[in-house]
Coordinates of all heavy atoms in Angstrom, one line a residue:
E87 N 2.1 25.1 -23.5 CA 2.0 24.7 -22.0 C 0.9 25.4 -21.3 O 0.7 25.2 -20.1 CB 3.4 25.0 -21.4 CG 4.5 24.2 -21.9 CD 5.8 24.5 -21.1 OE1 6.2 25.7 -20.9 OE2 6.4 23.5 -20.7
G88 N 0.2 26.2 -22.0 CA -0.9 26.9 -21.3 C -2.2 26.2 -21.3 O -2.4 25.2 -22.0
Y89 N -3.2 26.7 -20.6 CA -4.5 26.0 -20.5 C -5.6 27.0 -20.1 O -5.3 28.1 -19.5 CB -4.5 24.8 -19.5 CG -4.0 25.2 -18.1 CD1 -4.9 25.6 -17.2 CD2 -2.7 25.0 -17.8 CE1 -4.5 26.0 -15.9 CE2 -2.3 25.4 -16.5 CZ -3.2 25.8 -15.6 OH -2.8 26.2 -14.3
R90 N -6.8 26.7 -20.4 CA -7.9 27.5 -19.9 C -9.0 26.5 -19.3 O -9.3 25.5 -19.9 CB -8.6 28.3 -21.0 CG -9.7 29.2 -20.5 CD -10.0 30.3 -21.5 NE -10.9 31.3 -20.8 CZ -11.2 32.4 -21.4 NH1 -10.8 32.7 -22.6 NH2 -12.0 33.3 -20.7
I91 N -9.5 26.9 -18.1 CA -10.5 26.1 -17.5 C -11.7 27.1 -17.3 O -11.6 28.1 -16.6 CB -10.1 25.6 -16.1 CG1 -8.8 24.8 -16.2 CG2 -11.2 24.7 -15.5 CD1 -8.2 24.4 -14.9
R92 N -12.8 26.8 -17.9 CA -13.9 27.8 -17.9 C -15.3 27.0 -17.8 O -15.5 26.0 -18.4 CB -13.9 28.6 -19.1 CG -15.1 29.6 -19.2 CD -14.9 30.6 -20.3 NE -14.6 30.0 -21.6 CZ -14.3 30.7 -22.7 NH1 -14.3 32.0 -22.7 NH2 -14.1 30.1 -23.9
A93 N -16.1 27.5 -16.9 CA -17.5 27.0 -16.7 C -18.5 27.9 -17.5 O -18.3 29.1 -17.5 CB -17.8 26.9 -15.3
S94 N -19.4 27.2 -18.1 CA -20.5 28.0 -18.9 C -21.8 27.2 -18.8 O -21.8 26.0 -18.6 CB -20.1 28.2 -20.3 OG -19.9 26.9 -21.0
R95 N -22.9 28.0 -18.8 CA -24.2 27.4 -18.7 C -24.6 26.7 -20.1 O -24.4 27.3 -21.1 CB -25.3 28.4 -18.4 CG -25.1 29.1 -17.0 CD -25.3 28.1 -15.9 NE -26.6 27.5 -15.9 CZ -27.1 26.6 -15.1 NH1 -26.2 26.1 -14.2 NH2 -28.3 26.2 -15.1
V96 N -25.1 25.5 -20.0 CA -25.6 24.8 -21.2 C -26.9 24.2 -20.9 O -27.0 23.3 -20.1 CB -24.6 23.8 -21.7 CG1 -23.4 24.4 -22.3 CG2 -24.2 22.8 -20.6
D97 N -28.0 24.6 -21.6 CA -29.3 24.0 -21.3 C -29.6 24.0 -19.9 O -29.7 25.0 -19.2 CB -29.4 22.7 -22.0 CG -29.2 22.8 -23.5 OD1 -29.6 23.8 -24.1 OD2 -28.7 21.8 -24.1
A98 N -29.8 22.7 -19.4 CA -30.2 22.6 -18.0 C -29.0 22.3 -17.0 O -29.2 22.0 -15.9 CB -31.1 21.4 -17.8
G99 N -27.8 22.5 -17.6 CA -26.6 22.2 -16.7 C -25.5 23.1 -17.0 O -25.7 24.2 -17.4
T100 N -24.3 22.7 -16.6 CA -23.1 23.5 -16.7 C -22.0 22.6 -17.4 O -21.8 21.5 -17.1 CB -22.5 23.8 -15.3 OG1 -23.5 24.6 -14.6 CG2 -21.3 24.7 -15.4
C101 N -21.4 23.3 -18.4 CA -20.2 22.6 -19.0 C -18.9 23.2 -18.5 O -18.7 24.4 -18.6 CB -20.3 22.9 -20.5 SG -18.8 22.3 -21.4
L102 N -18.1 22.4 -17.9 CA -16.8 22.8 -17.4 C -15.8 22.4 -18.5 O -15.7 21.2 -18.8 CB -16.5 22.2 -16.1 CG -15.1 22.5 -15.5 CD1 -15.1 24.0 -15.1 CD2 -14.8 21.7 -14.2
T103 N -15.1 23.3 -19.1 CA -14.2 23.0 -20.2 C -12.8 23.2 -19.8 O -12.4 24.3 -19.3 CB -14.6 23.8 -21.4 OG1 -15.9 23.6 -21.8 CG2 -13.7 23.5 -22.6
L104 N -11.9 22.2 -20.1 CA -10.5 22.4 -20.0 C -9.9 22.3 -21.4 O -10.0 21.3 -22.1 CB -9.9 21.3 -19.2 CG -8.3 21.1 -19.2 CD1 -7.6 22.4 -18.8 CD2 -7.9 19.9 -18.4
V105 N -9.3 23.4 -21.8 CA -8.6 23.5 -23.1 C -7.1 23.5 -22.9 O -6.6 24.5 -22.2 CB -9.1 24.7 -24.0 CG1 -8.3 24.7 -25.3 CG2 -10.6 24.6 -24.2
G106 N -6.4 22.6 -23.5 CA -4.9 22.6 -23.4 C -4.3 23.1 -24.6 O -4.7 22.8 -25.7
G107 N -3.3 24.0 -24.5 CA -2.5 24.5 -25.7 C -1.8 23.4 -26.3 O -1.4 23.5 -27.5
G108 N -1.4 22.4 -25.6 CA -0.7 21.2 -26.1 C -0.9 20.1 -25.1 O -1.6 20.3 -24.1
T109 N -0.2 19.0 -25.3 CA -0.3 17.9 -24.3 C 0.2 18.3 -22.9 O -0.4 17.9 -21.9 CB 0.4 16.6 -24.8 OG1 1.8 17.0 -25.0 CG2 -0.2 16.1 -26.0
S110 N 1.2 19.1 -22.9 CA 1.7 19.6 -21.6 C 0.7 20.5 -20.9 O 0.4 20.4 -19.7 CB 3.0 20.3 -21.7 OG 4.1 19.5 -22.1
G111 N 0.0 21.3 -21.7 CA -1.0 22.2 -21.2 C -2.1 21.4 -20.6 O -2.7 21.8 -19.6
L112 N -2.5 20.3 -21.2 CA -3.5 19.4 -20.7 C -3.1 18.9 -19.3 O -3.9 18.9 -18.3 CB -3.8 18.3 -21.6 CG -4.8 18.5 -22.7 CD1 -5.1 17.1 -23.4 CD2 -6.1 19.1 -22.2
I113 N -1.9 18.4 -19.2 CA -1.4 17.9 -17.9 C -1.5 19.0 -16.8 O -2.0 18.7 -15.7 CB 0.0 17.3 -18.1 CG1 0.0 16.1 -18.9 CG2 0.6 17.0 -16.7 CD1 1.4 15.6 -19.3
Y114 N -0.9 20.1 -17.1 CA -0.9 21.2 -16.1 C -2.3 21.6 -15.8 O -2.6 21.9 -14.6 CB -0.1 22.4 -16.7 CG 1.3 22.1 -17.0 CD1 2.0 22.7 -18.1 CD2 2.1 21.2 -16.3 CE1 3.3 22.5 -18.5 CE2 3.4 20.9 -16.7 CZ 4.0 21.5 -17.7 OH 5.3 21.2 -18.1
G115 N -3.2 21.7 -16.7 CA -4.6 22.1 -16.5 C -5.3 21.1 -15.6 O -6.0 21.5 -14.7
V116 N -5.1 19.8 -15.8 CA -5.7 18.8 -15.0 C -5.2 18.9 -13.5 O -6.0 18.9 -12.6 CB -5.4 17.4 -15.5 CG1 -5.6 16.3 -14.5 CG2 -6.2 17.1 -16.8
F117 N -3.9 19.1 -13.4 CA -3.4 19.2 -12.0 C -3.9 20.5 -11.3 O -4.1 20.5 -10.1 CB -1.8 19.2 -12.0 CG -1.2 17.8 -12.1 CD1 -0.4 17.5 -13.1 CD2 -1.5 16.9 -11.1 CE1 0.1 16.2 -13.2 CE2 -0.9 15.6 -11.1 CZ -0.1 15.3 -12.2
H118 N -4.1 21.5 -12.1 CA -4.6 22.8 -11.5 C -6.1 22.5 -11.0 O -6.5 22.9 -9.9 CB -4.6 23.9 -12.5 CG -5.0 25.2 -11.9 ND1 -4.5 26.4 -12.4 CD2 -5.9 25.6 -10.9 CE1 -5.0 27.4 -11.7 NE2 -5.8 27.0 -10.8

Side-chain angles (χ1 to χ4, degrees):
E87 296 187 309
Y89 55 87
R90 183 162 195 174
I91 308 173
R92 179 167 53 182
S94 57
R95 297 294 298 174
V96 289
D97 299 327
T100 302
C101 172
L102 181 65
T103 301
L104 166 60
V105 176
T109 55
S110 293
L112 276 186
I113 291 171
Y114 302 146
V116 163
F117 279 119
H118 189 147

